[in-house]
Amino acid sequence: MEDAKEQIVQESKNSTLPSQDEKNPFIPGREIPPDAQDQIQRFYHENEEFQDCEVRAEGHEGTPHEALILALGYLGVRDLFVIENVCTSLRSVVQNDPLLWRDIHINLPLNEKITDDVLLQITGRGQGSLQCLSLVDCQRITDEGLKHVVENNPKLIKPCFQ
């Protein structure tokens, strides 16, 4: 799975971003426009309290800001893999928060890399709370792999396999 994640991270760095004339660039699974990325980076550099993705408030040291965790819920699988590599506190949140993994949509370019084992690991992050699984043209996923995913996720109510 690590090799697949590394490829996803590399591809996301080289991918093209949506045009600036789109009305809402902050749709789940859509990449953040370059100007917004610059604004976010400037904000973090100018505000020391947010450096290392950690809140410096009493009792919350070492954890990402709650607003940032909430925003993670709007990201797709590919983007969550990228966020995992930002810092250790975000890695921990992404890997251990089952709410981020309730809706999983796999399409290009991930669909070419996802195998049964990788799918089981990804869906396992939901800790049984997976509700929606969308797999588009995932040639390396077998019926046996799907059977395991369904067995391990009793709350799955919206499977979509194309």
Side-chain angles (χ1 to χ4, degrees):
M1 180 164 160
E2 290 300 318
D3 292 338
K5 285 192 333 189
E6 286 301 317
Q7 280 184 312
I8 293 164
V9 170
Q10 282 303 105
E11 288 176 3
S12 69
K13 291 178 182 175
N14 300 329
S15 66
T16 58
L17 296 170
S19 65
Q20 295 298 316
D21 61 346
E22 293 184 23
K23 290 183 181 178
N24 183 3
F26 300 105
I27 294 175
R30 184 174 292 164
E31 295 184 32
I32 299 171
D35 61 327
Q37 288 176 355
D38 292 340
Q39 290 174 1
I40 292 168
Q41 286 178 343
R42 276 196 305 272
F43 175 80
Y44 279 109
H45 289 294
E46 292 170 3
N47 295 284
E48 290 181 21
E49 66 187 84
F50 290 105
Q51 291 186 6
D52 295 329
C53 308
E54 297 175 359
V55 177
R56 302 286 185 222
E58 188 175 316
H60 296 286
E61 248 178 78
T63 61
H65 192 274
E66 289 177 23
L68 184 57
I69 294 172
L70 182 64
L72 293 176
Y74 290 94
L75 298 178
V77 172
R78 182 177 169 190
D79 295 326
L80 288 172
F81 284 155
V82 172
I83 294 295
E84 265 186 1
N85 293 305
V86 172
C87 65
T88 56
S89 59
L90 281 176
R91 178 180 298 119
S92 177
V93 169
V94 169
Q95 290 178 350
N96 299 309
D97 186 347
L99 296 178
L100 296 176
W101 303 98
R102 283 190 308 184
D103 299 315
I104 296 176
H105 306 282
I106 306 290
N107 53 14
L108 281 172
L110 294 179
N111 64 342
E112 298 169 353
K113 298 168 185 65
I114 297 290
T115 62
D116 289 344
D117 291 336
V118 173
L119 183 63
L120 283 171
Q121 289 178 8
I122 292 171
T123 57
R125 290 183 176 191
Q127 302 171 13
S129 67
L130 179 66
Q131 295 178 351
C132 177
L133 176 64
S134 172
L135 302 173
V136 178
D137 198 27
C138 295
Q139 302 292 325
R140 300 171 71 186
I141 303 294
T142 66
D143 291 343
E144 191 65 26
L146 289 175
K147 180 181 173 187
H148 288 296
V149 168
V150 171
E151 288 171 353
N152 294 333
N153 293 282
K155 294 181 180 179
L156 182 61
I157 55 174
K158 191 176 176 187
C160 178
F161 311 120
Q162 299 176 359

